[in-house]
Amino acid sequence: MVADTELSHPFTNVESGYSNDSSEVSEVKDVISDNSEELNQTLNGKPPRHLSVVRHSLITGAFLSPSELDSCVTGVKSPSEIISSYTPIFRSGSCAEKGPKPYMEDEHICIDDLPQYLSDISGFSSCASFYGVFDGHGGTDASSFVRNNILKFIVESSCFPACLEKAIKSAFLKADYAFADDSSLDISSGTTALTAFISGRKMIVANAGDCRAVLGKRGRAIEMSKDHKPNFASERQRIEKLGGAIYDGYLNGQLSVSRALGDWHMKGSKGSACPLSAEPELQETWLTEDDEFLIMGCDGLWDVMSSQCAVTMARKELMLHNDPERCSRELVREALKRNTCDNLTVVVICFSQDPPPRIEIAPSRVRRSISADGLNLLKGVLEGN
């Protein structure tokens, strides 16, 4: 799967401070580029990730008001630009199935009311939540250890809660080192890790591996994480710079992901740079009333379903019954129908007590015409001249 981002992104890449501010011309180029990648994915037998998103953007973009259009292309909004009265309400549901595999290696965590869960932590926001999906491989030791300890390492950081970004990034590395030090565990097992920490309207998604978080924004899929596959250009460059190699899409011929916690048989001494990294990439956004839900899933879901397909399906389900747990079950069921080959874990987090509203799309006012020369050319082709 190609882990490119959508045409317009209301979020910030924490590492690079990236924010999108493209013109119409550059957007058209992006569409052409994205469609080329989708065609390649289809030819390779993988579900296209963004084609439906591109189509949706092209169809509905003409009906956005100027203020809505500005909010789509100027990147993440600052807190002062967001309506101060808006406060998200967190409620979640999850579903995990072993699928066609003989045993289950996934773990996940859902905490809707973090202040209550961390009752001994003072000075923390009264509105916060934490979620995680951990896709284990080579056994369950790594995924279970990280699931049970990652939040503890976050809140114990000297940067918490003043600088969540630093606290989260350091917690991934601390969890990786602590796992290596536990002699009672099989440190050759490994796990990917995807977490979402939400404090008030600020949401920080951290990812190391190929689990994925997708934000549902009024029916549009906004990817909040990037899959870490060895073949991706940025990961390949990092891997080869550190002396690693990629064979048939596998890091050093062994692992299908380029970032993971654990797998210490593939890593050097602590603190040394190695091709397999436990360092997460972070994406940050400020939630608004347009942000309806977040889907977090392991690659067992995304191997058979595009991000836009999952958001469209989840939105329809929530409009019917408004139950995030039932919604997560339906996504898992659909992935099984599509013959996924992996364990399945899906978490759906809603940001309101109400179901998503119906979206009214105005009739198109775009008129298409053909020039006289074009009409004559078409006529000649049809007549065989």
Side-chain angles (χ1 to χ4, degrees):
M1 293 180 290
V2 179
D4 291 335
T5 48
E6 201 189 352
L7 295 180
S8 58
H9 299 272
F11 59 79
T12 298
N13 185 305
V14 175
E15 281 76 18
S16 61
Y18 167 82
S19 64
N20 191 15
D21 189 8
S22 56
S23 65
E24 291 184 8
V25 174
S26 63
E27 286 183 12
V28 172
K29 291 180 180 178
D30 289 342
V31 171
I32 295 172
S33 175
D34 283 351
N35 282 339
S36 299
E37 289 199 29
E38 297 299 343
L39 179 59
N40 291 335
Q41 286 183 345
T42 304
L43 293 175
N44 290 331
K46 294 185 178 181
R49 257 179 98 165
H50 295 293
L51 189 55
S52 57
V53 179
V54 172
R55 286 174 177 165
H56 183 87
S57 299
L58 292 175
I59 292 170
T60 61
F63 309 126
L64 295 176
S65 67
S67 61
E68 290 173 324
L69 186 59
D70 287 342
S71 68
C72 288
V73 299
T74 55
V76 65
K77 295 181 179 180
S78 66
S80 61
E81 294 176 309
I82 300 173
I83 300 175
S84 59
S85 61
Y86 172 68
T87 302
I89 298 173
F90 310 122
R91 54 193 184 92
S92 64
S94 62
C95 181
E97 295 284 347
K98 70 176 184 177
K101 284 201 165 185
Y103 44 85
M104 182 66 167
E105 294 178 309
D106 289 357
E107 293 281 353
H108 68 283
I109 184 171
C110 297
I111 303 174
D112 293 329
D113 191 344
L114 193 57
Q116 182 178 4
Y117 185 85
L118 303 174
S119 56
D120 58 333
I121 302 296
S122 60
F124 192 58
S125 171
S126 59
C127 177
S129 59
F130 180 77
Y131 308 93
V133 174
F134 312 97
D135 186 351
H137 49 263
T140 60
D141 281 0
S143 58
S144 295
F145 181 88
V146 176
R147 187 262 182 206
N148 293 332
N149 291 280
I150 189 71
L151 181 58
K152 179 187 73 172
F153 287 123
I154 293 174
V155 299
E156 287 180 353
S157 169
S158 59
C159 301
F160 180 85
C163 187
L164 278 176
E165 295 86 352
K166 289 183 179 180
I168 292 169
K169 181 173 286 189
S170 66
F172 272 63
L173 300 178
K174 286 179 181 178
D176 192 34
Y177 294 163
F179 175 68
D181 290 336
D182 195 325
S183 59
S184 65
L185 301 175
D186 178 8
I187 61 172
S188 66
S189 67
T191 184
T192 64
L194 172 70
T195 64
F197 200 118
I198 313 173
S199 177
R201 295 190 299 270
K202 183 178 181 180
M203 179 169 71
I204 300 174
V205 174
N207 181 53
D210 57 1
C211 291
R212 194 188 307 165
V214 181
L215 182 66
K217 191 179 188 72
R218 293 282 176 171
R220 293 187 298 126
I222 309 292
E223 293 185 351
M224 292 299 299
S225 65
K226 180 177 72 175
D227 299 351
H228 294 130
K229 295 290 190 181
N231 273 332
F232 291 170
S234 59
E235 291 297 284
R236 174 184 286 273
Q237 184 178 8
R238 181 184 61 80
I239 289 168
E240 292 178 346
K241 185 177 180 180
L242 294 172
I246 301 169
Y247 304 102
D248 196 25
Y250 286 78
L251 174 59
N252 292 341
Q254 301 181 59
L255 202 58
S256 62
V257 292
S258 55
R259 301 197 188 198
L261 284 71
D263 295 299
W264 278 95
H265 63 294
M266 296 181 63
K267 296 177 179 176
S269 58
K270 291 180 187 178
S272 63
C274 66
L276 179 61
S277 173
E279 181 177 354
E281 286 190 308
L282 275 60
Q283 304 254 18
E284 174 187 313
T285 190
W286 289 87
L287 298 173
T288 70
E289 290 173 310
D290 286 342
D291 300 314
E292 298 169 332
F293 55 86
L294 183 74
I295 302 172
M296 301 175 69
C298 65
D299 64 326
L301 175 69
W302 309 116
D303 283 345
V304 295
M305 193 179 300
S306 70
S307 296
Q308 184 60 53
C309 177
V311 165
T312 300
M313 180 178 174
R315 196 174 198 275
K316 288 180 179 178
E317 288 292 326
L318 291 171
M319 288 176 69
L320 285 173
H321 49 69
N322 198 26
D323 183 349
E325 183 154 349
R326 183 175 168 184
C327 180
S328 66
R329 287 201 304 268
E330 291 302 321
L331 287 169
V332 166
R333 187 175 301 173
E334 179 64 23
L336 290 171
K337 287 180 182 178
R338 298 185 182 202
N339 298 318
T340 185
C341 299
D342 207 346
N343 296 151
L344 280 161
T345 298
V346 175
V347 175
V348 176
I349 305 108
C350 295
F351 304 129
S352 171
Q353 295 286 12
D354 301 320
R358 187 176 299 278
I359 297 177
E360 299 294 339
I361 301 178
S364 174
R365 298 186 181 90
V366 177
R367 294 183 178 181
R368 295 174 176 82
S369 61
I370 186 170
S371 67
D373 290 340
L375 185 61
N376 289 333
L377 178 61
L378 180 60
K379 184 178 178 180
V381 171
L382 293 175
E383 291 177 351
N385 295 331

